[in-house]
Amino acid sequence: MQVIKYEDLADFLASGKDFVVESGEQNGIGSSSLIIRKCGKTILIDRGIAFEGTGMDKLTTFPAGANLEDIQIDVMIFTHVHADHTGLIVPTVLAHPEARVFFSQKTLEELKVVLSDALSVQRKTSKTACSVGQPAPPPLFTEQDVATFLALAENGSFQIVNTDEENEWVTFDDWPSWEFGFTFSGHMVGAFISLVKCPDGDGLVFSGDVSGHNQETTQGVKTLSESFLEMAKFRECRRIILITEATNGNRDQEEGREKMDARLKAVLCETERKGGNALLPVFMVNRGPNIVAKLVRLGFKVFVAGGVRKTLAIEVGQKLLDKWLADGTVMLIKNGDDYEQQIRNAAHGQYGFRPIVTSSATLDQGAGVDFAIEMLPVQENVLISTGHRFDGSAMKEFFEIKNKPLGPGHTIVLNRMDRNFRSVKHAVNVRCSGHHFDYTAHSYRKELVTLATGLNPDVVFVKHCTEDGFKGLESALRSELGEKCPPISWARHLNLFEL
């Protein structure tokens, strides 16, 4: 292994050696962008962005090399729609017409929503900067870029697989002895594990983000099916090289899903008994639709706002959503002159007891801030976190102060955009209760071990993790496999490993 500078990458590409290097993930998780050189081809797995800090002080972190314009890319594989994996999909794909591009049908459906939302955020950010006399930040991509990208996707220029329905292996006549396999990963709709069978006999496995346990909208994937591997005789590979995520590599599940669901239901029933309401800030992709479906299954009617309105049909299905809307199980906030009144009505129970599911999970932006301003000062209400609480976020701050006695300092400051896209600070007194539920969409340590050992790899690279995540998974694999444990390396930012 050697630590390189991105400027040196061209020399390594010209050397004729096979290697793997992560160009993103400067802080362990986020901006995933793995570059592989194998048998004369350059493969890119994801091209994401990450956000450091939160709220109005949030900074965007990019992988090294901009859109990689200075190198040729033969294959691009985008494992799922989350921004830390596809945040730069548009400019990178458009910069490389020479590349064969893979992603899933569901990822395309989600991209149509996510890219539209990103353009809206860029416009608002530009207006906000102008309102305070600052230059507007350069856009990641333009409306024309998005239109061009989507047109290419629709006209068959990309390899779009449907791994939510079936496993697929893809070959090309002009690339003899190369095979590309895709199978659902369990992380979210549209997410897949990708495999590459190379001409030299090696087999590469890229886990992407993976979940070994069930969620409301997806079934977990514990191991790769033998029938899928047999389709390409993958077990016969000279070496199997596994590149796996380890977001939860340092922890196992502490509370079973059934127990967690029962605790959530009890919290909501008690909140309803007291005459309060529940606010569940979520991310619009994956977590939002999952929580809506969970609340419905637990017997609650739900009010949905923010970006979750746009992803719900994609992830639960239009037919089911239409049923929920028709029978009143789900209400969607409607755009219009009475939008703010609808927020107040939902927050104060005018539509009956309906837990509110809305973006964003950090409480630093989005409709969630509007609801929080109304609901956090009411003692009978409850704020529910269903995922990771990011350092520096308003959500994290809420849970740090919620148990303190009421008095000076028992407030959080929320940033809300006014109609002129100016940030207005609101000091909010925290009187409601708060509960956290660990509904992670990533495999726990034991699940990661099961996936890895089922493949029986000859080499393992671990990425998308903190140092604790790497050490946790490494230790668990060594304990499970003993003397048969293969070499395990942490594929950190710009750490190049020859293959």
Side-chain angles (χ1 to χ4, degrees), residues 153-414:
E154 296 290 356
N155 71 18
S157 296
F158 306 145
Q159 306 295 321
I160 299 177
V161 296
N162 192 9
T163 46
D164 289 66
E165 300 295 332
E166 61 182 353
N167 299 326
E168 295 192 36
W169 282 94
V170 179
T171 59
F172 302 101
D173 291 340
D174 58 336
W175 283 17
S177 302
W178 286 92
E179 297 183 61
F180 298 87
F182 304 91
T183 185
F184 184 61
S185 78
H187 176 63
M188 65 167 292
V189 297
F192 57 56
I193 299 169
S194 52
L195 289 74
V196 180
K197 194 173 180 184
C198 307
D200 65 355
D202 279 350
L204 310 176
V205 181
F206 307 99
S207 76
D209 285 356
V210 63
S211 176
H213 51 268
N214 296 341
Q215 301 175 72
E216 299 295 326
T217 60
T218 57
Q219 296 292 307
V221 174
K222 297 186 182 300
T223 59
L224 273 65
S225 75
E226 289 300 322
S227 61
F228 168 64
L229 296 174
E230 179 61 23
M231 290 168 67
K233 303 296 183 184
F234 199 78
R235 291 285 188 194
E236 298 177 10
C237 287
R238 179 187 65 172
R239 293 186 303 170
I240 292 179
I241 301 170
L242 171 63
I243 298 95
T244 180
E245 70 125 320
T247 304
N248 291 330
N250 61 329
R251 65 191 188 102
D252 293 314
Q253 188 173 13
E254 297 178 357
E255 184 179 18
R257 294 283 155 147
E258 291 185 5
K259 184 177 180 181
M260 205 168 356
D261 288 350
R263 183 163 64 90
L264 173 61
K265 185 172 183 177
V267 168
L268 293 174
C269 287
E270 176 63 14
T271 302
E272 182 179 16
R273 186 193 67 78
K274 294 190 301 183
N277 206 351
L279 176 61
L280 294 91
V282 294
F283 291 119
M284 64 185 279
V285 174
N286 191 41
R287 187 60 49 82
N290 263 286
I291 294 302
V292 172
K294 184 180 295 293
L295 294 174
V296 171
R297 179 174 60 79
L298 293 177
F300 297 99
K301 295 182 176 181
V302 188
F303 189 86
V304 180
V308 184
R309 293 174 295 168
K310 304 172 185 177
T311 57
L312 192 54
I314 298 172
E315 300 196 27
V316 305
Q318 188 65 57
K319 185 176 180 179
L320 181 57
L321 177 57
D322 288 343
K323 176 182 180 299
W324 288 346
L325 294 172
D327 63 22
T329 298
V330 170
M331 284 183 65
L332 304 180
I333 195 169
K334 298 177 181 179
N335 294 331
D337 293 339
D338 66 340
Y339 179 84
E340 292 183 0
Q341 185 60 51
Q342 291 177 71
I343 289 176
R344 289 190 290 270
N345 289 345
H348 296 287
Q350 296 301 305
Y351 304 128
F353 181 74
R354 286 180 179 267
I356 298 163
V357 180
T358 184
S359 52
S360 170
T362 61
L363 279 185
D364 292 312
Q365 59 188 1
V369 174
D370 298 322
F371 285 100
I373 290 170
E374 296 286 334
M375 297 178 68
L376 268 56
V378 180
Q379 192 167 2
E380 291 77 16
N381 291 339
V382 61
L383 176 67
I384 294 175
S385 166
T386 60
H388 183 69
R389 293 166 289 185
F390 291 86
D391 289 340
S393 68
M395 178 67 83
K396 184 69 174 288
E397 184 181 0
F398 169 87
F399 278 91
E400 289 173 347
I401 70 171
K402 73 179 182 67
N403 293 322
K404 293 180 180 178
L406 290 179
H410 200 75
T411 61
I412 59 175
V413 176
L414 301 178

